């Protein structure tokens, strides 16, 4: 009976909507783009169980990020370190910097993020939170972003 259930795509998807880790027992779907798209739309945590190829697929992952910013947590290491990919993610979801830890010390990426999100400066590296130019860009867009500036700059304000 167990194998039959694993072959029932609708059943596996219904289970994954509730608990993504059920995909551990239905690994055959990890490379199925259509299935994984339906799965992440129901539960973004399903991306954890997508194949490495899908997690490294730029178009697939940007689609996932468009649906849920948390999808950035599951991208391949290569995409995580790809500045152009992260900038594309920021265009789709302004909260992307929180999940792009590899880019939190990249000035161009952080400036793009702080122009779109009032809290992005809070996810920037300490070095960039102390950078007057970066903080000025953040404050020009959202005055309340000053609260996320490095302590040394807040004391000067």
């Amino acid at each position: 009976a167990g194998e039959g259930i694993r072959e029932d795509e609708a059943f596996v998807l219904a289970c994954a909507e509730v608990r993504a880790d059920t995909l551990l027992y239905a690994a055959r779907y990890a490379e199925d783009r259509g299935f994984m798209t339906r799965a992440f739309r129901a539960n973004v945590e399903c991306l954890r169980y997508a194949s490495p190829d899908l997690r490294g697929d730029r178009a697939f992952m940007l689609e996932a990020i468009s649906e849920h910013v948390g999808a950035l947590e599951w991208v391949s290491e290569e995409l995580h370190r790809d500045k152009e990919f992260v900038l594309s993610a920021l265009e789709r979801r302004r909260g992307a910097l929180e999940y792009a830890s590899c880019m939190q010390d990249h000035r161009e990426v952080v400036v793009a993020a702080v122009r779109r999100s009032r809290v992005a400066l809070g996810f920037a590296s300490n070095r960039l939170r102390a950078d007057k130019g970066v903080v000025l860009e953040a404050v020009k867009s959202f005055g309340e972003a000053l609260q996320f500036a490095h302590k040394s700059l807040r004391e000067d304000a």
Side-chain angles (χ1 to χ4, degrees):
E3 285 301 316
I5 289 173
R6 289 182 211 179
E7 299 300 316
D8 183 340
E9 186 174 316
F11 179 77
V12 172
L13 184 59
C15 291
E17 287 178 18
V18 179
R19 290 208 40 155
D21 61 351
T22 60
L23 293 178
L24 283 169
Y25 306 101
R28 67 181 290 253
Y29 296 107
E31 294 184 26
D32 183 327
R33 184 185 206 95
F35 177 87
M36 290 307 298
T37 299
R38 290 187 299 281
F40 78 65
R41 285 185 175 146
N43 181 350
V44 72
E45 294 266 332
C46 290
L47 287 171
R48 174 188 304 223
Y49 304 101
S51 71
D53 284 346
L54 282 178
R55 290 174 50 189
D57 183 299
R58 181 178 302 271
F60 177 78
M61 291 309 299
L62 284 174
E63 180 182 352
I65 290 163
S66 294
E67 296 280 331
H68 193 290
V69 68
L72 196 51
E73 185 174 350
W74 309 114
V75 302
S76 68
E77 191 64 30
E78 181 182 332
L79 290 180
H80 229 284
R81 295 182 183 282
D82 181 326
K83 177 187 78 166
E84 296 307 320
F85 176 81
V86 174
L87 287 170
S88 292
L90 284 168
E91 289 174 13
R92 286 162 175 76
R93 300 299 292 228
R94 61 179 173 231
L97 189 62
E98 176 181 357
Y99 298 96
S101 57
C102 291
M103 292 289 162
Q104 292 172 347
D105 194 47
H106 191 289
R107 193 173 201 285
E108 181 183 351
V109 170
V110 170
V111 168
V114 301
R115 288 177 176 158
R116 296 181 50 84
S117 169
R118 60 186 80 251
V119 298
L121 188 59
F123 297 105
S125 67
N126 282 332
R127 179 182 75 82
L128 292 179
R129 289 175 50 228
D131 181 308
K132 288 182 180 181
V134 171
V135 173
L136 181 59
E137 286 297 326
V139 172
K140 279 197 282 189
S141 297
F142 306 100
E144 65 271 25
L146 186 59
Q147 69 184 311
F148 299 110
H150 191 273
K151 182 180 177 183
S152 61
L153 292 182
R154 286 194 319 268
E155 290 171 353
D156 286 348

